[in-house]
Structure formats: C-alpha cells, structure tokens
Amino acid sequence: MRKIAILVATMVLLCASSRESQADEQNYFMDIGLGVMIMPEYNKLLNDIYAAKMNGFAIDYKLSLQRQIIQGLTIGPKIDLALLATEYNPPGRAFRQDFNYVILPGVSGRYTFKSLPSVYLQAEIDYGWSQSGTGRYDFESWTVAYGAFVGYSFLVDEPLPDHGANAYVEVGYLEFPVDVTLNDNSEVRKNINLGGYLLRVGVIF
C-alpha cells in the first residue's frame, strides 16, 4: 500500500505537468468530507489486548482549503479528525464503546482528468497526532502519515461566478504507522497502522 500511495502521488504531479495552459485566475475551494475507515491492524491490536471479540473502525471528518494551481490540479492545506471507535462486549459485562482520536494536519493534492463529472486522483501527506482514550495502551505522537485515493466528482448546483459547487465520493488507503505501548507489560508494538481503507463523501464549494 505504501508503494501505491507513492505511485498515485507521482501520477498526480506528472498529469499536472502535462497540462500546457496556465489557469487564467487562481481559484480557491473549500472541501468538507465525512468518511468511514476500516482498520485491519487496529482491529488485530484490539483483539490481542482485550479478552473479547473487538470491532475497531474510524469516523473521519475532513476540512481542506484547495487552490487551483493549473487546470485540473488543486493543492492546499487540510486537516482530518478521525475518531477511532472501539466496540466490545466482554462475557458477563455490559456492552460499551471507547473512542481514541487521531488529528492529521497536512497537505493534499487532487488531479481531475476533465470537466465535471470526472474521475480524479488524490494524494495527501500528513504529520499526525494520536491519543488513546483508554488505560490499556498509549499511542506514539507526531508521526508521518500518507494516503492515496481515487474518486468521482460531479456538479450538484448551478455554476457560481468562478466555479461550481460539486460533490464527490472517493475510496483509498491511509497509512499512519505508530508505535503502541501496552501498559500492562510495557511491551512496545512497532509501526501499528492506525489508518486503513477509507470511504469518504463530501462537497466542494
């Protein structure tokens, strides 16, 4: 998955450089997204720690300000808040939920192949911070994360004077490796991926 993320990022830049015409004016776009992330390595960690079947996933909230650099390519700062939900039902105990969270400030770039509706490629790199909400383990803070996505964007409103409002749906993979310290025996698990497979929908205006 790391190789795929690097490949997509490279493709975005190569496609952008192939465009010969510069945009007449620099446009800015606000991007708001909501997603669900399936996290195989996080699930495995939870099942190793707790003596019960665990289900770990994340709810992802994204906010980004994108600037059109050349025709088809937008780049800008972004921030994600991922709530890592943990559901479990130990024998003889009540069902409960815990939440850990991850904050991912970074930069993302998107290359759209043609006028909407259109398929696009997106890549991002972040410097993330994670926090455990339980007393069973602690996450390492401030590590590099990166992701690659493919999506489909389409108009949902009449064009504005400089651009149209549009919606999108995208799928991809986020890599966010952190060291996890188990508090019971001080064991350190290296490079546990707090990312995973992400499905996200959003609007750009």
Side-chain angles (χ1 to χ4, degrees), residues 74 92 143:
T74 60
T143 55

Side-chain angles (χ1 to χ4, degrees), residues 77-100:
K78 46 83 66 178
I79 187 167
D80 277 73
L81 170 63
L83 296 178
L84 281 58
T86 303
E87 299 182 346
Y88 59 104
N89 189 9
R93 297 174 59 187
F95 173 84
R96 61 174 292 183
Q97 288 184 323
D98 286 332
F99 286 93
N100 306 317

